Amino acid sequence: MDKEAGCCSTHLIEGDGTFNGEGLDNFIKEVKLAECGLSYAVVAIMGPQSSGKSTLLNNLFHTNFREMDAYRGRSQTTKGIWMARCVGIEPCTIVMDLEGTDGRERGEDDTAFEKQSALFALAVSDIVLINMWCHDIGREQAANKPLLKTVFQVMLRLFSPRKTTLMFVIRDKTRTPLENLEPVLREDIQKIWDSVPKPEAHKQTPLSDFFNVEVVALSSFEEKEEQFKEQVANLRQRFFHSIAPNGLAGDRRGVVPASGFSFSAQQIWEVIKENKDLDLPAHKVMVATVRCEEIANEKYSFFVTNEDWCDLKDAVQSHLVPGFGNKLSSMIEASLSSYDEEATYFEDGVRSAKRKQLEEKLIQLVQPTYQLMLEHIQLETLDKFKKALQDALNGGQGFAKAAWNCTESFMTLFDEQCKEVAIKQADWDSAKVRDKFSREIDSHIAEVQTAKLSELNALYESKLKVALEGPVAALLEGGGDDTWPAIRKLFHQETKTTISDFSDALSGFEMDKKANEEMVSNLENFARGIVEGKTKEEAGKALYRMKERFTSLFNHDADSMPRVWTGKEDIRAITKIARSSSLKLLSVLAASRLDVDGDKIGDTLVLALVDHKKDKNTPMQDPLVSSTWEEVPATNTLITPAQCKSLWSQFQRETEYTITQAIASQEANKRNNNMLPPPWAIAAMFILGFNEFMTLLRNPLWLLVIFVGYLLFKALWVQLDISGEFSNGMLPGILSLSTKFLPTVTNLLRKLAEEGQKPVVTQPQVLGSNFQGVVSSSGSSGVTMENGNGTEYTSPTTHVKEQ
């Protein structure tokens, strides 16, 4: 393998001063300089033109710099500054081949580039090789003296120069031992240093503060090539680990990290080109600032596009991600660690500041995702809280205790989850989110408490409604003297029991005394409202209830059996009793007596509506001409006195028909039950019918005819229900009988004809049995007949009537 392979020589600065930045970047990538950190060294060589600088470098570092062709004459070979990697030397060592000084191509007065290149070499190099001829040592007008003056002059332009190793390479060494040449050379160097004008601050500064001076001697390459190569090989060994302690550049200062070398070199050359003094400390800060910012931006961009971060961010959009805090903290820490690794060699203050900026940018980037995680935690924990609270309540636990236990448990859970998602690098306070979560829990507790209290209130209201509504309605319907005492007793008893149970149920909520008393009072008022509402409802149906009471008492006896108006009943007394009871019902419904009793409504109604007729001659004021009752608050009045008077009048009118019907029924029954004529008529019939009676005695056959006729008449009477028909009036009775007479007679004759077709022996029995079991009743409209075979027959007219 060729020794020069891998040196990657690059033209760094053109002869006209143009800096090849792109070439330098490519060179750094090829030799992987950016990965070296501070573990690299830069070597530069300067010296007179055609002094063999390139030849020395090629042999010393295995580079491939262009060398002068001696057969073509001595002329300029290297233009500007070239750069190459020293092949096979560790750590990574970069060598720069500078254009030779004192060249005829640039002329005697054109020393600007010479000084610029020298200053550049001193600013960026750790080791500077100064190539000089052996025969110039000790000579006043030696070729190396202008070069040394140039080096020392430009060195003073550095505000804080780095300590550089100056290695003087004596070429074409003669027989004079090096031990004799070195003191002379050092003396010349000191003289030049002393003669160079210095700033006030460096008047007394020794040369050793700026330079480490090394002197080596090499034989002639042309005359003693083998010896030259052997000496160069030995010299090469000194460049291995040159930056280690006691190495050639072991005490170097102000080294720029390798990743910033390209930018640093370009900026240094720009300053030098502008002919400004080079402030290396400021330049170092500037390089550190630019490079650290570039590294930070690279790490930020890498973090943004990192697959793990993208997956984590996408996952957080939909659900809670376990281990979010540790994962994200690790990602941020990895990014910062990578930054620290690349920026570790830059100026501390700048590196730390840029690191802090990177950290802030990363934290700012992940903050929305962190907030979204907190929202997930908040929502998920709140849902769990709601379920746990509901389960606790369903399990029979008291509301206040369940709410407190769940709140403590899930606030602790929320705090733990917030710690789990916390990012170590961020000092975020989750107090606001915690306060919001706490408010949501309190809001849900209040909402559930309101709902539970509403359910509890509705439950006991329904119990009160069942316990009071029906019984109160029944008591009011009874309407007696003990109605309101019974209602009050029922009200207080049920209310007391229900409120006691309600208070026990409320104790689990641990509400304040005022709220507790308010709910109990509301329930008591609800019970009162049930009674008062039912009373108002019944008062609105007072007329119906009165008529119902009157009808019940009037039409039923003391045993609740329907009355039959036989004529023996005292309708007036019955009417008075029924009306008195209805009036009592009206007095009960006239006002609410849930709180107090002892009013005179009943007496007033009796006096005004019943007793006033007994004393018509005594004029008195009508007590019902008023809108209020005496000793009764207006709020308790359900039916005003005037309304009572109106209702009573209407009641009397609507019950008169019932009384009239009873009287008519009673009169009809009296007529039906009194079938015998008056005694005078019987006497007249006996006197006037004596002859007919004697005729019947002389001819007994007439008795048989009369008996048969009586039976036929009786059968027609029962069949036609004559008494029932005439109970509705004379004209309706006649019309009804006229339509039923012929069908009934025809039916009887047909039955007799059917019976006549049977054997003669059984005829008497048939005839007799045809009229057995005749049942008559003032309330019946037909007769049932039974023939000899036990078959029953019902008159069709009876069915017609029943239909």
Side-chain angles (χ1 to χ4, degrees):
M1 180 178 177
D2 190 0
K3 292 182 179 181
E4 298 175 356
C7 67
C8 306
S9 59
T10 301
H11 202 175
L12 180 62
I13 299 175
E14 302 287 345
D16 58 359
T18 303
F19 193 92
N20 184 13
E22 182 178 356
L24 177 58
D25 291 338
N26 293 332
F27 171 80
I28 291 174
K29 289 179 181 178
E30 288 183 19
V31 302
K32 300 180 180 180
L33 180 64
E35 301 176 3
C36 296
L38 296 179
S39 183
Y40 75 102
V42 180
V43 179
I45 189 169
M46 60 179 67
Q49 180 176 301
S50 302
S51 61
K53 297 186 299 299
S54 299
T55 302
L56 174 60
L57 294 180
N58 290 340
N59 284 274
L60 183 61
F61 298 118
H62 300 169
T63 55
N64 58 358
F65 294 123
R66 181 183 175 192
E67 300 177 9
M68 183 190 72
D69 187 355
Y71 295 102
R72 293 186 178 181
R74 305 182 70 82
S75 61
Q76 187 181 51
T77 305
T78 302
K79 294 182 180 180
I81 301 176
W82 285 74
M83 174 179 280
R85 178 184 179 182
C86 300
V87 178
I89 294 181
E90 293 295 334
C92 181
T93 302
I94 306 300
V95 62
M96 293 189 300
D97 187 9
L98 274 63
E99 180 180 317
T101 60
D102 196 22
R104 66 181 180 84
E105 285 79 7
R106 289 191 178 271
E108 182 180 351
D109 299 325
D110 188 6
T111 60
F113 184 80
E114 180 180 315
K115 292 180 179 180
Q116 289 173 353
S117 60
L119 181 57
F120 179 77
L122 290 173
V124 301
S125 300
D126 302 305
I127 303 170
V128 176
L129 301 177
I130 298 179
N131 203 38
M132 60 184 303
W133 301 110
C134 182
H135 55 74
D136 284 337
I137 298 176
R139 294 171 58 187
E140 188 66 26
Q141 301 298 324
N144 63 334
K145 283 192 175 183
L147 176 60
L148 288 175
K149 286 183 180 180
T150 299
V151 170
F152 293 153
Q153 286 174 355
V154 298
M155 191 65 168
L156 294 175
R157 290 181 60 185
L158 302 176
F159 287 169
S160 179
R162 53 190 292 176
K163 194 167 186 179
T164 306
T165 297
L166 290 181
M167 177 175 282
F168 290 86
V169 181
I170 302 173
R171 303 293 298 274
D172 296 347
K173 176 180 172 297
T174 60
R175 295 180 180 180
T176 305
L178 180 61
E179 291 80 3
N180 296 333
L181 294 174
E182 185 174 351
V184 177
L185 178 59
R186 289 183 179 275
E187 184 179 351
D188 292 341
I189 293 171
Q190 186 63 45
K191 287 181 180 180
I192 297 172
W193 172 255
D194 293 338
S195 66
V196 173
K198 304 178 186 67
E200 192 67 29
H202 294 295
K203 287 283 188 181
Q204 305 300 325
T205 302
L207 177 66
S208 59
D209 286 356
F210 291 96
F211 300 103
N212 291 323
V213 178
E214 297 284 343
V215 179
V216 295
L218 298 176
S219 300
S220 173
F221 175 71
E222 294 179 353
E223 297 176 1
K224 301 178 181 179
E225 183 176 355
E226 294 299 327
Q227 188 177 358
F228 173 82
K229 290 183 179 181
E230 181 181 351
Q231 292 171 346
V232 168
N234 293 332
L235 178 61
R236 176 182 171 86
Q237 296 301 317
R238 299 189 64 183
F239 285 91
F240 282 91
H241 306 291
S242 59
I243 61 175
N246 300 321
L248 285 176
D251 57 349
R252 62 180 182 168
R253 299 191 298 259
V255 183
V256 175
S259 61
F261 180 80
S262 175
F263 177 77
S264 175
Q266 293 184 60
Q267 295 299 315
I268 288 174
W269 182 250
E270 287 181 8
V271 173
I272 292 173
K273 284 284 290 181
E274 293 174 1
N275 199 27
K276 296 180 180 179
D277 291 338
L278 188 59
D279 187 352
L280 285 183
H283 172 75
K284 183 180 179 182
V285 171
M286 184 266 293
V287 172
T289 301
V290 173
R291 273 300 298 152
C292 287
E293 187 167 349
E294 288 179 354
I295 295 171
N297 290 337
E298 290 174 4
K299 301 309 171 187
Y300 179 81
S301 300
F302 178 78
F303 185 91
V304 171
T305 57
N306 186 8
E307 186 177 352
D308 293 338
W309 158 245
C310 294
D311 292 342
L312 183 63
K313 182 173 65 173
D314 293 340
V316 170
Q317 300 299 320
S318 58
H319 62 275
L320 189 66
V321 178
F324 172 84
N326 291 333
K327 292 179 180 178
L328 195 52
S329 297
S330 299
M331 292 180 192
I332 295 176
E333 185 62 33
S335 182
L336 294 176
S337 298
S338 179
Y339 168 86
D340 292 337
E341 185 178 345
E342 293 190 28
T344 185
Y345 303 112
F346 290 103
E347 201 275 331
D348 290 343
V350 176
R351 183 181 72 248
S352 299
K354 295 302 178 181
R355 187 185 195 278
K356 185 173 182 59
Q357 291 179 8
L358 173 61
E359 186 175 4
E360 290 174 353
K361 286 178 67 177
L362 292 175
I363 290 174
Q364 186 177 4
L365 174 67
V366 303
Q367 186 174 18
T369 307
Y370 169 77
Q371 292 294 337
L372 187 57
M373 274 296 294
L374 290 183
E375 292 180 10
H376 286 318
I377 292 174
Q378 182 178 338
L379 293 175
E380 186 173 306
T381 309
L382 184 61
D383 290 340
K384 291 180 179 178
F385 170 82
K386 292 178 180 179
K387 185 178 184 302
L389 179 60
Q390 189 63 41
D391 292 343
L393 295 177
N394 293 338
Q397 194 172 357
F399 181 85
K401 184 177 180 181
W404 189 86
N405 290 340
C406 290
T407 300
E408 288 295 315
S409 175
F410 284 91
M411 286 302 296
T412 302
L413 177 62
F414 178 81
D415 292 338
E416 291 174 354
Q417 289 183 320
C418 285
K419 289 180 181 179
E420 290 178 2
V421 302
I423 300 171
K424 297 177 182 178
Q425 294 80 6
D427 188 19
W428 288 328
D429 186 7
S430 60
K432 291 184 178 180
V433 181
R434 190 181 192 277
D435 292 342
K436 182 181 177 183
F437 177 67
S438 179
R439 289 194 300 271
E440 289 182 348
I441 283 183
D442 293 341
S443 175
H444 179 70
I445 290 175
E447 182 181 341
V448 173
Q449 182 178 8
T450 302
K452 291 296 181 182
L453 288 175
S454 179
E455 291 176 6
L456 190 65
N457 196 59
L459 174 63
Y460 283 92
E461 283 180 356
S462 64
K463 288 184 178 181
L464 280 174
K465 196 170 184 180
V466 171
L468 293 175
E469 200 169 54
V472 167
L475 290 171
L476 289 173
E477 188 176 346
D481 292 333
D482 61 342
T483 296
W484 279 107
I487 290 176
R488 284 195 297 273
K489 181 179 179 181
L490 174 69
F491 170 75
H492 292 303
Q493 181 179 347
E494 294 296 337
T495 302
K496 182 179 179 181
T497 303
T498 305
I499 286 179
S500 176
D501 295 341
F502 184 64
S503 299
D504 292 341
L506 287 180
S507 62
F509 289 87
E510 296 183 6
M511 297 188 298
D512 58 88
K513 185 177 180 181
K514 183 178 179 181
N516 197 78
E517 291 177 352
E518 183 179 355
M519 292 200 67
V520 171
S521 177
N522 290 339
L523 186 62
E524 188 173 358
N525 292 336
F526 178 80
R528 180 179 295 274
I530 292 175
V531 177
E532 292 177 350
K534 198 63 184 176
T535 305
K536 289 180 181 178
E537 180 182 343
E538 292 297 323
K541 299 187 290 185
L543 180 60
Y544 172 77
R545 294 299 185 193
M546 290 167 64
K547 291 192 297 181
E548 190 179 55
R549 172 70 64 84
F550 177 85
T551 302
S552 177
L553 293 176
F554 189 79
N555 291 331
H556 296 80
D557 58 17
D559 296 328
S560 298
M561 296 298 293
R563 292 184 188 274
V564 178
W565 303 104
T566 62
K568 298 178 182 180
E569 297 83 4
D570 187 355
I571 293 181
R572 182 178 295 276
I574 294 172
T575 301
K576 184 177 181 180
I577 292 172
R579 283 184 173 178
S580 297
S581 181
S582 299
L583 188 61
K584 184 63 180 178
L585 178 60
L586 179 61
S587 68
V588 170
L589 297 176
S592 174
R593 302 170 181 85
L594 192 57
D595 295 321
V596 293
D597 203 354
D599 57 76
K600 300 178 181 179
I601 295 177
D603 297 339
T604 302
L605 290 175
V606 171
L607 179 64
L609 300 176
V610 179
D611 293 346
H612 75 284
K613 298 179 181 178
K614 297 179 181 179
D615 192 6
K616 295 183 178 180
N617 297 325
T618 304
M620 59 179 296
Q621 184 180 0
D622 188 353
L624 299 183
V625 183
S626 175
S627 61
T628 58
W629 297 102
E630 186 179 354
E631 299 179 359
V632 177
T635 54
N636 290 345
T637 300
L638 301 177
I639 305 175
T640 64
Q643 290 173 336
C644 284
K645 185 175 182 179
S646 176
L647 285 173
W648 184 253
S649 298
Q650 187 177 353
F651 167 74
Q652 285 183 317
R653 288 194 301 270
E654 294 184 5
T655 56
E656 282 180 359
Y657 178 75
T658 303
I659 300 171
T660 303
Q661 287 291 96
I663 294 173
S665 179
Q666 192 177 55
E667 291 297 329
N669 281 333
K670 285 181 181 180
R671 288 194 299 269
N672 291 336
N673 294 333
N674 191 12
M675 300 301 296
L676 295 176
W680 60 267
I682 296 174
M685 289 174 60
F686 182 77
I687 295 171
L688 296 175
F690 181 78
N691 295 330
E692 286 78 6
F693 179 72
M694 292 304 294
T695 303
L696 291 174
L697 291 176
R698 294 188 189 101
N699 191 2
L701 185 60
W702 284 104
L703 291 175
L704 178 61
V705 173
I706 292 172
F707 178 70
V708 173
Y710 169 74
L711 291 178
L712 291 173
F713 178 76
K714 186 64 176 178
L716 288 173
W717 183 276
V718 174
Q719 191 78 5
L720 294 174
D721 188 20
I722 295 174
S723 61
E725 295 294 343
F726 281 100
S727 65
N728 296 325
M730 181 63 71
L731 183 59
I734 294 173
L735 294 175
S736 178
L737 290 175
S738 64
T739 58
K740 295 164 55 178
F741 180 76
L742 289 177
T744 303
V745 172
T746 304
N747 186 43
L748 286 175
L749 293 177
R750 181 174 58 81
K751 293 296 293 182
L752 289 173
E754 291 176 356
E755 293 295 332
Q757 294 177 1
K758 293 183 178 181
V760 178
V761 180
T762 58
Q763 288 302 318
Q765 295 179 356
V766 174
L767 181 62
S769 63
N770 284 336
F771 299 97
Q772 288 179 358
V774 176
V775 180
S776 64
S777 174
S778 60
S780 174
S781 60
V783 60
T784 301
M785 301 177 64
E786 184 178 350
N787 57 23
N789 297 328
T791 305
E792 293 184 357
Y793 171 74
T794 303
S795 172
T797 58
T798 304
H799 291 289
V800 172
K801 183 176 179 181
E802 288 176 350
Q803 291 177 354

